[in-house]
Amino acid sequence: MEESAKPGLRIREGDCAVLKRDEVFKAVLVLRRRKVIFEKQWFYLDNAIGHIYGTTFEVSSGGSLQPKKKMEETTTETKEAGTDNRNIVDDGKSQKLTHDDIKALKDKGIKGQEIVQQLIENSTTFRGKTEFAQDKYIKKKKKKYEAVITIVKPSTRILSTMYYAREPGKINHLRYDTLAQMLTLGNIRAGNKMIVMETCAGLVLGAVMERMGGYGSVIQMYPGGGPVRAATSCFGFPESFFNTLYEFPLNKVDSLVSGTFSSETLPSEPEYNVPVEEESNGSLDEKQTLIQETEEESSTEAVMESNETEEQETMDLAAEDTEYKESKEKGNKENIREKQRKQQERRRKLVETATLLEEKNADGLIVASRFHPTPLLLSLLEFVAPSRPFVVYCQYKEPLLECYTKLREKGGVINLKLSETWLRNYQVLPDRSHPKLMMSGGGGYLLSGITVTAEKVQSNASSLEAQKIEEPTSKKRKLQELHC
C-alpha cells in the first residue's frame, strides 16, 4: 500500500508512458482527449490517469479504457484432449462461426474473452487437438480478439527493446543486451563525469542518464546543427536531470584541443534587422493614412451628410490597423528578446561545457555512432582522465579492427578487447521449453579498454629497453676471459 501511494508510480497527465501488448511496445505522451492508435486499436488515455503503472486495461466501446479485473483472467478448462494431431485437416470448415457472426458479436459489445469461448465451442476440431495445440489455439485467438493493453513506465530495457523491434535503423541496430554491456564496461554510476558521442536518437544518452540518476555530469558530443534526443525525451526525466546535461559540437573539438576555441564563433541569428524595416514601413504607412485622412476631410466638406458615416467607418478601420501594427511590433520585439536570451544562454552553456572538457578529467567515454570510430575516439580520448574506461560500439567489426590497430600503435591504453555479444531467446513453458526458432542475427561489436598516461608508459618502455641492451658486468667479464 505504501508503494501505491507514491506519486511517481501513478500515471499523470503529461507523463511519457509505454503501451505494451504481448511483445509489442509503443511510447506515447499521456494527454486527455487525444486519440491513440496502437495495434489496430484506437482509444483515449483519459481513464488511465491516476492508475498505477503496470495496470492492464481493456478497450471498451467508444475507445475508453477500463481496468481489467483479475477475476476475469480465467483460463479455459479443456476436459478432452487428443493424443496427436495427425487426423486434423486444415480445410477451413472446422469453424462454424463466420466472419459476419463474429462481427455481429463485436457490434453487440461482447468482450473478447466471450468471443474466444464461443469460437472454442463452435470448433469441430478443438477437442481432437493435443493439450499443447489447444493452448496455442487459445493464445492465438486471445491475441486477435481481446483488446487488452498494459501501460508501463519507460526504462532503458523497455525503450531499447521497443526501438530494436520497431525502428532498428534509428539506433544503428544496437541490441538491448549490447547496450547493457556498454553500461557495464563503461562503469556508469552516479557522480561520474561522462562523455557520450552517439547517433542513436538519444537512446544511449538516456540510458547513461538513467544509470547516473541525476548525479554527476554528462557531456553530449553531437554532429551537425544540434543534438538529437528523441529517445531521451521518452524516458520522462525530471528537469533536474537536464541541469547536469551539457552539449558540445564535434566541429569545435579541434579548436578546443589547440586552444583557439571561442564562443563568439557560433553562428548568430541576424533576425533583429527584420523588425527594424517593419517599423520603418509601419511608420510610412501611418503617415500615408494620416495624409489620406486629411485629404478626405477637406474633400467631404461639400459632400452630403450620408458620406460622413462612411468617412467615420474608414477612420475607425484605420485606427484599428494602427493598433494591430503596434501590437505586431511589440510581439516581434518580444520574439527578438527571447531569441537573444536563448542565444546568450546557449553560449553560456557552451563555455561551461568547454571548461569541463578542458579539465581533461572525464571518468569515461561512450561512443556509438554511424561515423567511423577511429578519428572520433582518438580525438575524444584527450579529455578522459587516466585509468578510466572507454567503450566504442559499431555495427560492423572492420572499423573497430582498424581502431584497435591505431590504438595499439599510439599507446596510452591497456586491456583492449573487441567482443561480440550473442543472444538467444528461449520459450519457457511446462514440458515444452526450447530455444525460439527466430533469433537475432547480430547485435553489433564492442571495443573497450582503459586509458593510461602515455608519458609514463614510454619512459618505462625506454628503461626496459636500456636494461636489455646493457649487459650485466658478470657477463662482460666472462666474455673478456674467453677472448683472452
Side-chain angles (χ1 to χ4, degrees):
M1 296 298 291
E2 293 180 358
E3 291 185 356
S4 62
K6 293 181 181 179
L9 296 176
R10 293 192 175 271
I11 304 170
R12 295 176 296 179
E13 186 176 4
D15 285 356
C16 292
V18 177
L19 307 178
K20 178 180 180 294
R21 186 177 180 184
D22 294 329
E23 298 300 324
V24 183
F25 299 90
K26 182 180 181 180
V28 295
L29 192 64
V30 180
L31 295 173
R32 295 184 184 272
R33 297 181 297 276
R34 181 181 180 182
K35 183 185 288 187
V36 178
I37 300 175
F38 178 56
E39 287 292 289
K40 300 180 181 179
Q41 291 281 340
W42 65 270
F43 48 86
Y44 299 92
L45 298 174
D46 298 37
N47 294 343
I49 297 174
H51 288 275
I52 301 173
Y53 278 103
T55 306
T56 301
F57 297 91
E58 189 170 4
V59 183
S60 59
S61 59
S64 61
L65 296 180
Q66 300 298 331
K68 188 176 181 181
K69 298 179 181 179
K70 292 184 179 180
M71 295 178 62
E72 297 180 1
E73 297 179 358
T74 57
T75 57
T76 305
E77 296 182 359
T78 56
K79 296 181 181 180
E80 298 179 6
T83 56
D84 54 45
N85 300 326
R86 70 178 70 181
N87 297 323
I88 297 175
V89 181
D90 188 11
D91 54 0
K93 299 177 181 179
S94 59
Q95 183 56 248
K96 297 178 182 178
L97 292 179
T98 61
H99 291 287
D100 296 334
D101 296 335
I102 297 173
K103 187 177 179 182
L105 292 174
K106 289 182 178 179
D107 295 339
K108 290 179 181 178
I110 297 177
K111 295 183 179 180
Q113 189 173 358
E114 297 177 3
I115 295 176
V116 173
Q117 187 63 35
Q118 292 199 23
L119 287 171
I120 293 172
E121 293 175 356
N122 288 276
S123 176
T124 57
T125 58
F126 181 79
R127 298 187 184 279
K129 295 181 179 180
T130 61
E131 185 179 353
F132 297 152
Q134 288 178 354
D135 293 342
K136 190 175 181 180
Y137 178 86
I138 293 170
K139 185 179 179 180
K140 181 180 178 181
K141 296 303 179 185
K142 279 185 177 181
K143 183 179 179 180
K144 185 175 182 180
Y145 294 106
E146 282 191 0
V148 176
I149 63 165
T150 305
I151 301 179
V152 296
K153 196 170 182 62
S155 64
T156 300
R157 180 183 62 83
I158 291 174
L159 290 177
S160 58
T161 305
M162 180 191 74
Y163 267 94
Y164 190 76
R166 297 174 70 94
E167 298 170 320
K170 288 188 176 181
I171 59 172
N172 299 327
H173 296 267
L174 175 63
R175 206 169 54 197
Y176 40 89
D177 61 311
T178 308
L179 178 58
Q181 289 289 324
M182 291 177 64
L183 298 177
T184 303
L185 294 171
N187 193 25
I188 311 298
R189 54 187 174 84
N192 271 10
K193 179 180 177 182
M194 297 300 303
I195 299 176
V196 180
M197 164 54 200
E198 58 112 320
T199 57
C200 299
L203 179 63
V204 179
L205 176 66
V208 172
M209 292 175 65
E210 183 190 53
R211 181 68 65 92
M212 294 178 64
Y215 298 96
S217 57
V218 183
I219 303 172
Q220 181 186 11
M221 315 298 291
Y222 64 89
V228 179
R229 298 171 182 168
T232 310
S233 60
C234 295
F235 281 85
F237 293 131
E239 191 64 27
S240 60
F241 278 56
F242 293 96
N243 294 334
T244 61
L245 178 61
Y246 301 86
E247 56 190 47
F248 196 82
L250 278 176
N251 54 8
K252 302 292 181 183
V253 171
D254 292 338
S255 62
L256 186 63
V257 173
S258 60
T260 60
F261 171 76
S262 175
S263 63
E264 300 297 329
T265 57
L266 282 175
S268 58
E269 299 175 358
E271 296 182 358
Y272 56 88
N273 295 327
V274 178
V276 175
E277 297 177 0
E278 292 180 359
E279 288 179 3
S280 61
N281 292 335
S283 60
L284 289 173
D285 292 339
E286 290 174 4
K287 291 179 181 178
Q288 290 177 0
T289 52
L290 292 173
I291 293 171
Q292 289 176 359
E293 289 174 4
T294 54
E295 289 177 355
E296 288 176 357
E297 287 177 0
S298 61
S299 62
T300 52
E301 291 178 355
V303 185
M304 298 175 62
E305 295 180 356
S306 60
N307 294 334
E308 293 180 0
T309 56
E310 296 179 358
E311 186 180 323
Q312 186 66 28
E313 291 177 357
T314 56
M315 292 177 67
D316 293 340
L317 290 172
E320 291 177 358
D321 290 340
T322 54
E323 291 177 359
Y324 173 74
K325 290 176 181 177
E326 289 176 358
S327 63
K328 186 177 181 181
E329 290 172 3
K330 289 180 180 178
N332 291 332
K333 290 179 181 178
E334 291 177 358
N335 291 335
I336 295 167
R337 291 172 184 170
E338 183 66 20
K339 289 180 180 179
Q340 290 177 350
R341 186 188 66 80
K342 288 182 178 179
Q343 190 173 1
Q344 291 176 357
E345 181 67 21
R346 182 187 172 196
R347 286 183 175 177
R348 184 187 65 80
K349 197 83 171 176
L350 188 67
V351 172
E352 291 180 3
T353 309
T355 305
L356 290 174
L357 290 173
E358 286 174 347
E359 294 174 358
K360 297 184 178 181
N361 61 350
D363 294 317
L365 172 63
I366 304 291
V367 179
S369 74
R370 63 179 182 272
F371 306 112
H372 201 287
T374 303
L376 288 174
L377 185 62
L378 294 178
S379 60
L380 295 179
L381 278 178
E382 299 289 334
F383 307 109
V384 182
S387 188
R388 298 296 189 273
F390 64 90
V391 187
V392 185
Y393 166 80
C394 187
Q395 187 181 355
Y396 312 102
K397 65 179 179 181
E398 286 77 14
L400 290 182
L401 286 172
E402 182 181 344
C403 188
Y404 181 94
T405 306
K406 292 287 184 182
L407 288 174
R408 282 293 187 191
E409 294 174 356
K410 181 183 178 183
V413 294
I414 59 172
N415 200 24
L416 275 179
K417 290 182 180 180
L418 180 59
S419 59
E420 177 191 9
T421 56
W422 192 77
L423 176 71
R424 188 167 191 179
N425 295 318
Y426 277 74
Q427 172 185 292
V428 181
L429 291 172
D431 298 328
R432 53 192 187 279
S433 297
H434 58 78
K436 290 188 176 180
L437 300 178
M438 301 294 292
M439 62 174 290
S440 173
Y445 300 85
L446 293 178
L447 176 64
S448 60
I450 299 175
T451 59
V452 292
T453 306
E455 290 81 8
K456 292 182 180 180
V457 172
Q458 292 176 359
S459 61
N460 293 336
S462 60
S463 62
L464 288 172
E465 290 177 0
Q467 289 178 4
K468 290 180 180 178
I469 294 171
E470 293 181 2
E471 295 178 349
T473 55
S474 60
K475 190 174 181 180
K476 287 183 178 180
R477 289 174 183 174
K478 289 181 179 180
L479 289 172
Q480 289 175 359
E481 292 175 358
L482 289 172
H483 287 297
C484 294

